[in-house]
């Protein structure tokens, strides 16, 4: 199992390090139940408090999950889940805001093209609803911004790619405050026009036109804001 007693120097860190290695090397596989607390205490030669602290730390990092009355299990890892755990700061500096816009300019067009190429009738209905919500919320900046976010996250969800969807949720879903600022600074007329062009291309199942409309939208937004 690759575990051994630890020295008294940074005991907790050593326990955590050994347990992480067992998970990373696959000695403990996803879904597998970890040894019980008492067994871990005996294996490491440490107190129960130390073991519990280690388990809490590993759970906090998303490596394991603890089921009450059952024990701790290695979590099934996925890239999309790991990305969704990334925390974006509440406030963005000017440089961070610029980099966010640049990232969207690079990402949004290809994502939109892929989404439209794979879009189902149900997906199209969800995209239509998001656009309709934008239209109905024009007098409320915050609600309009949220509907704008939903329009884009809906496109991301149509790609059939969990990593792309998680990446978009990370930069857009967690940045609704930035979207509110964008709407406040730009107004909503140009956004509605751009989103209508994207929606029309999606309805025509023209993925290339949808990408072109999205890239035009991103470029215009970046030019105005930067």
């Amino acid at each position: 199992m690759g575990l051994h007693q630890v020295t008294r120097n940074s005991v907790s860190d050593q326990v955590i390090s050994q347990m992480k290695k067992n998970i990373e090397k696959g000695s403990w596989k996803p879904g597998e139940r970890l040894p019980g607390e008492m067994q871990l205490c005996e294996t490491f030669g440490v107190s129960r408090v130390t073991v519990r602290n280690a388990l809490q730390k590993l759970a906090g990092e998303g490596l394991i999950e603890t089921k009450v009355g059952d024990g701790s299990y290695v979590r099934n890892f996925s890239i999309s889940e790991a990305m969704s755990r990334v925390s974006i700061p509440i406030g963005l500096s000017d440089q961070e805001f610029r980099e966010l816009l640049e990232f969207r300019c690079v990402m949004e067009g290809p994502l939109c093209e892929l989404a439209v190429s794979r879009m189902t009738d149900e997906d199209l209905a969800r995209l239509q609803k998001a656009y309709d919500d934008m239209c109905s919320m024009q007098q409320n900046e915050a609600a309009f911004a949220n509907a704008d976010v939903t329009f884009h996250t809906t496109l991301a969800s149509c790609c059939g790619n969990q990593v792309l969807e998680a990446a978009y949720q990370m930069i857009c879903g967690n940045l609704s405050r930035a979207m509110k600022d964008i709407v406040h600074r730009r107004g909503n007329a140009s956004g509605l026009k751009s989103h209508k062009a994207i929606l029309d291309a999606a309805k025509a199942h023209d993925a290339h036109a949808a990408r072109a409309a999205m890239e035009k939208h991103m470029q215009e937004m970046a030019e105005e804001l930067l």
Side-chain angles (χ1 to χ4, degrees):
M1 191 163 52
L3 303 179
H4 54 81
Q5 287 196 0
V6 299
T7 65
R8 293 300 172 186
N9 183 31
S10 302
V11 172
S12 181
D13 289 343
Q14 291 182 64
V15 170
I16 293 170
S17 176
Q18 288 191 48
M19 294 181 74
K20 276 187 177 180
K21 286 180 181 178
N22 259 24
I23 295 172
E24 292 168 353
K25 293 190 301 183
S27 298
W28 290 334
K29 302 185 183 304
E32 181 178 343
R33 187 178 186 277
L34 272 60
E37 289 184 4
M38 291 306 299
Q39 184 178 345
L40 289 172
C41 289
E42 294 174 1
T43 301
F44 289 120
V46 298
S47 70
R48 196 164 187 172
V49 172
T50 299
V51 168
R52 286 183 175 176
N53 288 339
L55 292 174
Q56 290 174 1
K57 176 71 172 178
L58 294 173
E61 294 182 10
L63 295 176
I64 66 172
E65 59 180 336
T66 300
K67 301 178 181 179
V68 179
D70 190 15
S72 298
Y73 291 79
V74 179
R75 294 192 65 173
N76 289 305
F77 174 82
S78 69
I79 295 176
S80 59
E81 181 179 348
M83 293 176 71
S84 70
R85 296 174 65 85
V86 176
S87 177
I88 302 296
I90 290 179
L92 292 176
S93 67
D94 289 343
Q95 179 63 23
E96 289 169 333
F97 187 77
R98 176 185 296 272
E99 290 175 354
L100 170 64
L101 288 179
E102 289 178 348
F103 182 75
R104 292 189 67 194
C105 284
V106 171
M107 176 182 179
E108 292 270 14
L111 184 151
C112 183
E113 182 175 24
L114 180 62
V116 171
S117 71
R118 296 178 175 178
M119 191 170 286
T120 65
D121 289 342
E122 181 181 351
D123 292 332
L124 188 56
R126 291 193 294 120
L127 194 65
Q128 177 71 62
K129 183 181 185 307
Y131 177 76
D132 291 343
D133 287 344
M134 290 177 68
C135 292
S136 65
M137 299 296 181
Q138 294 182 57
Q139 305 307 314
N140 185 323
E141 284 187 357
F144 182 89
N146 288 335
D148 191 330
V149 170
T150 300
F151 186 96
H152 290 273
T153 55
T154 297
L155 281 172
S157 71
C158 296
C159 292
N161 185 310
Q162 293 184 2
V163 177
L164 281 175
E165 184 175 0
Y168 201 86
Q169 289 287 350
M170 183 177 70
I171 63 133
C172 193
N174 289 350
L175 287 177
S176 60
R177 290 174 301 276
M179 295 297 290
K180 292 184 181 71
D181 183 52
I182 290 172
V183 172
H184 179 71
R185 293 162 66 179
R186 294 189 75 216
N188 53 37
S190 59
L192 280 173
K193 181 180 177 181
S194 297
H195 287 74
K196 180 64 163 55
I198 296 165
L199 178 62
D200 287 344
K203 289 179 177 178
H205 303 288
D206 190 337
H208 180 72
R211 174 174 180 165
M214 179 64 80
E215 289 180 339
K216 181 182 179 182
H217 172 44
M218 289 294 107
Q219 185 63 33
E220 290 175 348
M221 181 176 66
E223 288 176 357
E224 287 183 33
L225 294 176
L226 299 181

